[in-house]
Structures are given as C-alpha cells and as structure tokens.
Amino acid sequence: MNPFDDDEAADTLFGDLATDEPLEGVHGGLAEPTCRWRDLDHVSAPKAWRELSGWVSWFVATYRLTTSVVPDCWWRHPELVAELYALQKAEAASFTPIDPGFGPLGFHERLPLAIERLRLETRTVGCVGLQTHRETSPRQLPVDDPEFLAWTSEAHQTRPEN
C-alpha cells in the first residue's frame, strides 16, 4: 500500500463502514436515526426529548459541567438543544460495534470545542449571570423585503472566464 494513497488508507480505516446493514447502537439495539429537531411532531417529540434529557443528564454528570456550560434551563433554548443533540448523536456514533477505536477518540478530541460553543451560547442567552431563566426571542429575517426578492432573481455567483 502506498502511504500517500488516500483511497487505500480510507478503505483500511473505514472499509467496514461500507454496508447496507443497519448499524447497531451503543446498547445493542438498532441505532436511532438522526432527525432534524425542527421536524419533530407530537408523536416523535416526546421520545426525542426523553432521550436527549437522559443523555444531557449523563453528559453533565460525567464531564462535571457547570451551569456556565449547560444551564438548568437548557431545554428552553433552541441553540443549546441543537448543540446538545448534535453532541448526543456524535457520542452515540462514536461507540458502534464496528468502530476500531477512533470514534471515541474523535469525539473526545472535538469535545473541548463543543464545550466552548456551549459556554458561549449559554453566556449569550444570559441565564447563568441572572441565576434564573431569561427568555430570548429568535431573530426573524424579513423574507418578503422587496430588495431581497429582487436580489433572488439572479444567482450572484462569480463565473470563471472562458
């Protein structure tokens, strides 16, 4: 094998991942599919919230995270929910039966960056400084602005000269 051949190196590291079989999850059952949180409905939302809540409790206890990283009202802030859900899915994907050990290492290498993002988002929402939940309003972009509508009539991308 040529050490500079990316295809062969990738096949050596990840070849077992090329399967049509469903992956088993951490606890032996089929892995839960990743969903877009905003697409959850009244049927799928309760299960997703239970699983995320249990995972966040484990995550906060295991990594001894303070309220400056994950405030008690995390579930009321979509930006924190999105980050925590992404971490939940990344952590679960890191521990599959076919992973040779790189998954957990990759998760832990990325964890400090995620914790910093959580800390920044928590500081931005302001709940920790107040020691109570602070309601925030999402920013709504105007999509019916005439100037924007005129702009959307063209691609506005640079094209190479022929």
Side-chain angles (χ1 to χ4, degrees), residues 2 10-12 15 35-36 44 51-52 68 78-79 84 86 92 103 117 159 162:
N2 178 348
D11 190 49
T12 300
C35 61
R36 287 181 27 203
S44 56
E51 289 175 359
L52 182 59
S68 67
E79 60 273 42
L84 290 164
R117 283 192 306 272
R159 296 184 186 180
N162 289 334

Side-chain angles (χ1 to χ4, degrees), residues 155-162:
H156 299 285
Q157 296 295 312
T158 305
R159 296 184 186 180
E161 296 289 327
N162 289 334

Side-chain angles (χ1 to χ4, degrees), residues 17-23:
L17 294 176
T19 177
D20 292 333
E21 297 296 317
L23 292 177

Side-chain angles (χ1 to χ4, degrees), residues 67-68 71-73 126-134:
T67 57
S68 67
D72 294 343
C73 58
C127 297
V128 174
L130 299 172
Q131 296 299 315
T132 186
H133 172 70
R134 180 178 149 238

Side-chain angles (χ1 to χ4, degrees), residues 143-158:
V143 293
D144 55 353
D145 180 283
E147 189 175 345
F148 172 71
L149 295 174
W151 182 267
T152 62
S153 66
E154 296 181 36
H156 299 285
Q157 296 295 312
T158 305

